[in-house]
Amino acid sequence: MAPNNLFFFRAAPPLPMFLDRICSVCLDAVQQHRGLVLKTLGVGLILRFVVPSFRRSLEAQAGKNSAEKQMQLPSGAHAGKNSPQKQMEVLSCIRARRSVFPKSHVDRAVKPEIIRSMLEAAMWAPFHGPRPPWRFVVLGKSAMVEMQKMTLAYYDANWQEVGWAGGKRGSESQYYEWRQQTEEEITGRWGRVSFMIAIVMLRQAGSTRIPEWEEMAATACAVQNMHIQASAFPGLACYWSSWHSAARDSTKMAEFLGMESEDKCLGFFIVAACNPDLKDSRTRQLESHMHVEWRD
């Protein structure tokens, strides 16, 4: 019997008689049940090629979603607020809080939703009095550049009286060398930063005033809450910068941030992105990092 048009080689060499007979029987069976054979072949091809390809596609998409979720808002805890599991989650976040500086920053934008989540955490810090003593001014890309140029303009006008770089003093050429380096940092050191959050302590008015140190401490607690919340987002790089002290404490900065006369700028909370797998080289030892005395 001549081979049909399904899947046998036309140029095959002659077969022994008994094999030729077997092939003929098989081909007769295929001809009689062509539909069933084709369906079986179709299912086989699907199982062999389509399903694994679809599975790989799903796995790739799952990996992509996982990477995107790393920089999204946390879904919320399911354990009870007083359960051991919940307590460990809080301690893990506290332990994960760390400062990540510009040398480890990468060029990836941080979403505003993450900043809002951090600010909500700051809102729950403790404070005395009728209103919280903190105020935050979130500077995006353009506002960051404006603030840095204002900082340089302040030092241009006052470097002989206040110095620069934390009070350093010297010749005019030394100042302009520092100035050039600082100006280059606008697009260099700070170029990969997504947000600078100005940290302002609001001095409360009224006949009964809360001590200033308490208001500064409460503001610092709010910043710590923000920093702890940042640890919920792998690949988020934050730290508290004291900024250039003379410019930070100047009336120019107060005007830029819309501060009242007794308010204080405590620096800027820097928010950028980093490698989620960035090594944490910090250590904590009870003997050197915990100074405590127990008394009955």
Side-chain angles (χ1 to χ4, degrees):
M1 176 181 290
N4 64 13
N5 60 353
L6 283 179
F7 41 66
F8 270 81
F9 295 105
R10 294 183 179 276
L15 295 172
M17 184 175 297
F18 71 94
L19 289 179
D20 185 63
R21 179 58 182 165
I22 292 174
C23 291
S24 298
V25 172
C26 292
L27 287 174
D28 288 340
V30 167
Q31 290 282 51
Q32 294 176 13
H33 304 284
R34 183 191 297 262
L36 179 59
V37 170
L38 290 177
K39 289 180 181 179
T40 303
L41 283 173
V43 172
L45 290 172
I46 290 172
L47 292 175
R48 176 63 181 87
F49 297 105
V50 178
V51 171
S53 176
F54 183 62
R55 181 182 299 162
R56 287 192 295 270
S57 176
L58 288 178
E59 290 172 350
Q61 184 63 38
K64 179 181 178 182
N65 292 342
S66 177
E68 291 177 350
K69 286 180 180 178
Q70 286 185 335
M71 292 293 284
Q72 293 178 357
L73 300 181
S75 58
H78 299 290
K81 63 179 181 179
N82 295 321
S83 69
Q85 179 185 348
K86 185 64 176 177
Q87 292 172 17
M88 287 304 297
E89 288 175 359
V90 173
L91 183 57
S92 295
C93 287
I94 293 173
R95 286 175 171 170
R97 185 222 61 81
R98 60 172 169 164
S99 295
V100 180
F101 299 102
K103 66 179 182 180
S104 299
H105 293 173
V106 298
D107 191 12
R108 186 174 67 245
V110 176
K111 295 180 179 179
E113 290 79 7
I114 291 177
I115 303 300
R116 294 189 185 98
S117 175
M118 293 162 57
L119 292 172
E120 182 178 358
M123 179 180 69
W124 289 96
F127 64 93
H128 289 165
R131 67 170 191 178
W134 53 75
R135 175 172 171 262
F136 300 105
V137 183
V138 182
L139 306 181
K141 289 287 188 180
S142 298
M144 284 190 291
V145 171
E146 184 181 357
M147 186 274 291
Q148 291 177 80
K149 288 183 176 179
M150 181 273 297
T151 296
L152 289 173
Y154 170 80
Y155 281 107
D156 285 343
N158 298 281
W159 68 269
Q160 292 178 312
E161 291 78 25
V162 303
W164 64 91
K168 181 178 179 180
R169 297 177 184 272
S171 65
E172 183 176 8
S173 63
Q174 289 175 318
Y175 166 70
Y176 278 104
E177 181 181 357
W178 170 84
R179 190 197 189 283
Q180 181 179 352
Q181 293 174 352
T182 305
E183 187 172 24
E184 290 172 354
E185 289 180 348
I186 295 177
T187 55
R189 175 184 177 89
W190 307 113
R192 293 187 292 269
V193 172
S194 292
F195 299 95
M196 289 182 176
I197 305 176
I199 304 164
V200 178
M201 182 212 73
L202 299 174
R203 191 71 177 110
Q204 295 183 2
S207 56
T208 304
R209 302 239 290 182
I210 293 171
E212 185 180 69
W213 74 264
E214 290 193 23
E215 295 185 327
M216 295 181 72
T219 303
C221 287
V223 176
Q224 175 73 347
N225 276 15
M226 219 169 21
H227 210 166
I228 291 173
Q229 178 64 6
S231 71
F233 305 99
L236 194 62
C238 302
Y239 79 99
W240 186 346
S241 168
S242 56
W243 202 240
H244 303 283
S245 56
R248 178 199 64 211
D249 298 336
S250 68
T251 56
K252 292 294 185 182
M253 184 66 76
E255 291 171 4
F256 179 80
L257 296 177
M259 296 163 51
E260 298 294 335
S261 59
E262 292 188 284
D263 296 347
K264 281 186 168 50
C265 176
L266 304 181
F268 292 84
F269 195 69
I270 310 300
V271 183
C274 66
N275 185 342
D277 300 322
L278 181 67
K279 182 179 179 180
D280 187 354
S281 58
R282 300 172 305 148
T283 60
R284 293 289 189 273
Q285 302 293 334
L286 287 175
E287 296 78 11
S288 56
H289 293 88
M290 175 60 74
H291 303 286
V292 59
E293 178 183 354
W294 295 69
R295 297 187 179 185
D296 292 333

